[in-house]
Amino acid sequence: MTRAPAHTEPRSFLTCATEVARLLGIDDSVEETGAPRARLLAHAARKPLLRREGMPEEWFGPLMAAAVHDPDPSFCRWFVEPAVYAFGRRRVAAALVDYLRSGTDTERAGAARAWYSAGVSVYPERSPLYGPGGVRDPPWTSWRACTTPGPKPPWR
């Protein structure tokens, strides 16, 4: 099972967004426009994350932490979607379940918000991360994603 890194101190969305921006080489002194600094950093990271052709393994934890700590259920997708493209839907879902099981109250609420975004439809033209050799988990709407091998239920 893939676990997101455990932290002993409370994390904030700003801390998580700053870490993702640092990994991307984005200057964390973003221009102030009146929006919260964490949101500006997340916005600056959005397109570079989707435009990457690959993502190092060590980026998985920071992406999941940023998604879980993002207080806006619409914007947490900016971190979940690239993680689904790069690491696969099942791994992302497993990390969110770990947060739901053992996270703080804030992390559990964030994982519940991010869960919806983990079901994002993936398209090859949306991101180079979906290139050859990428992870190809079936969408959650596929019956194959929801079934396991075994005896057929009586209603089939």
Side-chain angles (χ1 to χ4, degrees):
M1 171 117 8
T2 302
R3 290 194 163 272
H7 295 282
T8 55
E9 66 204 40
R11 299 188 78 195
S12 69
F13 178 48
L14 176 58
T15 303
C16 297
T18 301
E19 186 174 0
V20 171
R22 183 189 57 76
L23 290 170
L24 287 165
I26 295 172
D27 184 13
D28 67 352
S29 61
V30 292
E31 183 179 325
E32 295 296 327
T33 61
R37 188 163 173 264
R39 181 62 53 222
L40 294 172
L41 287 169
H43 188 267
R46 179 181 185 208
K47 286 185 181 175
L49 281 170
L50 285 174
R51 290 182 180 155
R52 295 190 59 83
E53 292 186 15
M55 210 171 283
E57 182 67 28
E58 60 268 11
W59 287 23
F60 182 73
L63 281 175
M64 292 288 80
V68 165
H69 287 88
D70 192 328
D72 191 312
S74 296
F75 293 126
C76 69
R77 177 180 176 151
W78 292 359
F79 301 104
V80 175
E81 185 177 16
V84 168
Y85 275 101
F87 302 107
R89 187 180 323 279
R90 290 179 189 193
R91 184 169 177 199
V92 169
L96 293 174
V97 167
D98 282 345
Y99 274 110
L100 288 168
R101 287 183 177 155
S102 60
T104 64
D105 288 345
T106 301
E107 290 171 337
R108 286 196 300 271
R113 286 190 301 269
W115 186 263
Y116 177 80
S117 295
V120 65
S121 296
V122 291
Y123 302 101
E125 64 275 3
R126 176 92 167 122
S127 175
L129 289 168
Y130 198 70
V135 179
R136 300 289 186 274
D137 292 332
W140 286 350
T141 56
S142 166
W143 68 271
R144 287 186 179 111
C146 302
T147 61
T148 57
K152 288 186 178 180
W155 59 87
R156 283 197 183 173

